Amino acid sequence: MAIFCRRNFLFLAMVVSLFALTSGQDGSGDYEDYSESGSVSQQSESASLPIDDRNPCSFRGQFLTHGQSVVIDPCTECVCKNGTTTCNIESCPSEQGCLPDEIVIIPEECCPQCPYKMIVDQTENLYGETFDFAIGETKRIRFGANIALDKKQTSRLVRGESMWKLGAWISPNEDGSGRRTSYKKQVITGKDKAKEYFKGDYNPPTSPWDFKKMKFTMDFTNGECADFKFFCIEFGPDEAAQPKYDLDFTVLAKNDEEERLRDCIPLGQCSGVLFQIAASRALI
């Protein structure tokens, strides 16, 4: 009986030793805990892999199954991959993008934050259809807008809720001045109002920062053909903007040239004047 128990004990010790060798981490890392046990998440790829490719990990006193990750601090996240724990560490840019006295430290963020600043180089109206119309008609359209940014002067990251505003109207003038017919103060809706800007993802023309499928109704019932020459848009910050962490937030035109925030495209031929003259003569 003593020999049988000794053999069982030796077999159990071998199994425990083998698990320790394949765990990939012994929990002796030098990181400081972000929380008492870290924030652990489970990935779903484990079930699709063979059992031999789904070994667990022992990391800093925690047992992690294959695919689980743990957040050590705002800069460090570690994930178990088939018995080996690998940690990804976010690095912060050498230049923060603002003056030292403007830097804000956010406990939940890895890198120091700067006030949000967006410098617009050009606003582009992407409505490309040309159509003729008559006085008294209305036309509902869908269109997009591309916002070209000065990448060097714009913040690395800009995010929040209800951040952006795009106004639209019909103007008699190419620069958008004069009477604003069918004026709509805000055509950006839904989640696009909280559209995030990240410098690393902005690489025009392949990866622009733009807005799509916005709706606008052109109303040609109140005015003359001279009032309906151009379809104009203007980009800016929403008055109800809620930047994340309540950071200061500004949207400026490059070199303070406000025309960079607007763009107008010509409309088609208006035939209302001819109709009105013909109708007047018929009444005489």
Side-chain angles (χ1 to χ4, degrees):
M1 179 64 72
I3 295 175
F4 178 75
C5 292
R6 182 180 299 174
R7 287 178 177 175
N8 283 344
F9 176 77
L10 291 174
F11 176 75
L12 180 62
M14 290 175 63
V15 171
V16 172
S17 299
L18 181 61
F19 175 77
L21 288 173
T22 60
S23 64
Q25 296 287 347
D26 60 3
S28 59
D30 296 329
Y31 301 113
E32 293 185 4
D33 280 330
Y34 179 49
S35 61
E36 183 172 344
S37 59
S39 175
V40 179
S41 63
Q42 174 70 52
Q43 297 181 359
S44 60
E45 63 176 292
S46 299
S48 62
L49 296 175
I51 189 66
D52 292 342
D53 295 330
R54 289 187 275 142
N55 293 311
C57 305
S58 176
F59 178 68
R60 303 189 65 207
Q62 291 182 283
F63 177 80
L64 303 177
T65 60
H66 173 80
Q68 276 190 314
S69 62
V70 57
V71 176
I72 305 303
D73 57 46
C75 296
T76 310
E77 182 175 10
C78 303
V79 61
C80 174
K81 292 287 188 180
N82 190 28
T84 300
T85 305
T86 303
C87 295
N88 295 317
I89 303 175
E90 180 182 351
S91 59
C92 298
S94 57
E95 296 183 5
Q96 298 301 327
C98 60
L99 298 175
D101 59 351
E102 295 179 319
I103 293 176
V104 179
I105 304 299
I106 307 295
E108 299 91 338
E109 291 288 332
C110 174
C111 302
Q113 302 291 304
C114 288
Y116 292 148
K117 180 174 64 174
M118 181 165 280
I119 306 299
V120 178
D121 187 35
Q122 181 183 9
T123 300
E124 182 181 5
N125 189 336
L126 298 179
Y127 184 67
E129 180 183 350
T130 299
F131 61 90
D132 296 336
F133 59 93
I135 297 297
E137 294 181 342
T138 60
K139 184 175 179 64
R140 188 170 178 81
I141 66 168
R142 287 177 180 266
F143 73 101
N146 177 46
I147 312 300
L149 302 167
D150 186 312
K151 196 170 182 177
K152 185 176 181 180
Q153 296 188 64
T154 295
S155 299
R156 183 179 67 92
L157 179 67
V158 181
R159 52 184 170 172
E161 299 294 328
S162 301
M163 298 290 283
W164 318 112
K165 179 182 69 174
L166 191 81
W169 69 97
I170 299 174
S171 174
N173 302 310
E174 188 174 5
D175 62 358
S177 62
R179 178 185 178 187
R180 293 190 175 192
T181 306
S182 303
Y183 178 64
K184 191 172 182 179
K185 185 178 181 180
Q186 171 66 295
V187 295
I188 300 175
T189 60
K191 63 182 181 180
D192 281 345
K193 295 175 68 175
K195 185 179 179 70
E196 182 176 298
Y197 169 79
F198 176 57
K199 184 174 291 189
D201 294 335
Y202 178 60
N203 187 30
T206 56
S207 298
W209 197 71
D210 56 5
F211 297 86
K212 301 176 181 178
K213 297 181 179 181
M214 294 177 290
K215 298 178 181 179
F216 179 67
T217 300
M218 298 182 178
D219 187 348
F220 304 112
T221 61
N222 185 20
E224 301 177 351
C225 283
D227 298 318
F228 310 125
K229 294 292 187 180
F230 298 91
F231 171 41
C232 302
I233 61 173
E234 185 172 40
F235 178 74
D238 195 295
E239 291 85 349
Q242 302 171 38
K244 193 165 186 179
Y245 304 123
D246 201 28
L247 294 173
D248 290 339
F249 170 53
T250 55
V251 176
L252 301 172
K254 186 176 180 179
N255 300 328
D256 294 326
E257 297 170 356
E258 294 298 314
E259 60 270 20
R260 295 178 184 268
L261 301 175
R262 293 186 300 271
D263 188 35
C264 298
I265 59 174
L267 294 177
Q269 182 67 38
C270 173
S271 57
V273 173
L274 296 177
F275 290 158
Q276 289 176 357
I277 293 175
S280 298
R281 289 178 177 176
L283 293 174
I284 297 175

